């Protein structure tokens, strides 16, 4: 069964795979891709959750996968929700792990107040994936330390 892992903030496709790999066994085909702005993926003019959901659909098209379960973690939840809403026929299941879902507020007020400095953090340190490769025990360093990589498709 194909499972698309959609990572949260501060990670990339490796974060999604690392979280689901222990559960996968041989019965699941894990698929992941970095979201816009992560692991040197350009941030397009429209980086909305809907646009990311369409990019995920394009990935599944390229892999010739017509239907998949979607697992969205944290900041990956909004695009996972959009995928399920836009492509219900392609969604076999939707799992949200600690979702960063946005609640509409009256009068168009922001649903989430971003703390001061967050934009700077996301646009600098968190876009520089080298920091994640250096962190001891990170998914990236654990992946490199494996003697034989698991069966994956992305």
């Amino acid at each position: 069964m194909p499972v698309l892992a959609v990572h949260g903030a501060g990670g990339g496709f490796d974060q999604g795979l690392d979280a689901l790999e222990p559960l996968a066994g041989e019965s699941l085909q894990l698929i992941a891709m970095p979201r816009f702005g992560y692991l040197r993926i350009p941030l397009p003019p429209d980086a909305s959750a809907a646009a990311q959901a369409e990019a995920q659909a394009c990935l599944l098209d390229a892999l010739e996968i017509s239907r998949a379960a979607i697992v969205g973690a944290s900041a990956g939840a909004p695009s996972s929700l959009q995928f399920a809403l836009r492509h219900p026929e392609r969604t076999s299941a939707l799992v949200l792990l600690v979702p960063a879902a946005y609640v509409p507020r009256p009068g168009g007020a922001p649903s989430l107040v971003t703390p001061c400095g967050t934009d700077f953090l996301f646009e600098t340190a968190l876009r520089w994936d080298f920091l994640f490769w250096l962190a001891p025990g990170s998914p990236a360093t654990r992946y490199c330390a494996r003697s034989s990589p698991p069966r994956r498709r992305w």
Side-chain angles (χ1 to χ4, degrees):
M1 172 203 271
V3 177
L4 176 62
V6 184
H7 69 86
F13 72 90
D14 55 336
Q15 181 189 67
L17 293 176
D18 193 59
L20 295 180
E21 183 179 63
L23 307 173
E26 290 296 316
S27 62
L28 299 180
Q29 176 186 20
L30 297 180
I31 305 154
M33 66 187 265
R35 295 187 304 118
F36 299 145
Y38 291 88
L39 300 179
R40 297 189 204 132
I41 299 298
L43 198 59
D46 179 9
S48 66
Q52 181 68 55
E54 292 309 312
Q56 293 159 353
C58 286
L59 172 65
L60 295 180
D61 289 344
L63 296 173
E64 298 179 351
I65 295 173
S66 60
R67 193 168 163 86
I70 312 300
V71 178
S74 187
S79 62
S80 299
L81 284 165
Q82 282 295 317
F83 185 94
L85 290 169
R86 293 167 168 271
H87 304 284
E89 73 288 350
R90 299 191 72 179
T91 307
S92 60
L94 175 64
V95 178
L96 303 177
L97 305 170
V98 290
Y102 300 100
V103 179
R105 304 286 184 208
S111 60
L112 181 66
V113 177
T114 306
C116 183
T118 301
D119 290 336
F120 175 76
L121 179 66
F122 275 98
E123 292 299 320
T124 56
L126 292 179
R127 289 188 77 180
W128 192 39
D129 56 309
F130 186 68
L131 290 176
F132 295 102
W133 286 93
L134 289 177
S138 74
T141 56
R142 285 195 307 271
Y143 179 76
C144 290
R146 290 190 179 112
S147 58
S148 61
R151 186 177 72 89
R152 295 180 178 170
R153 180 174 176 184
W154 60 82

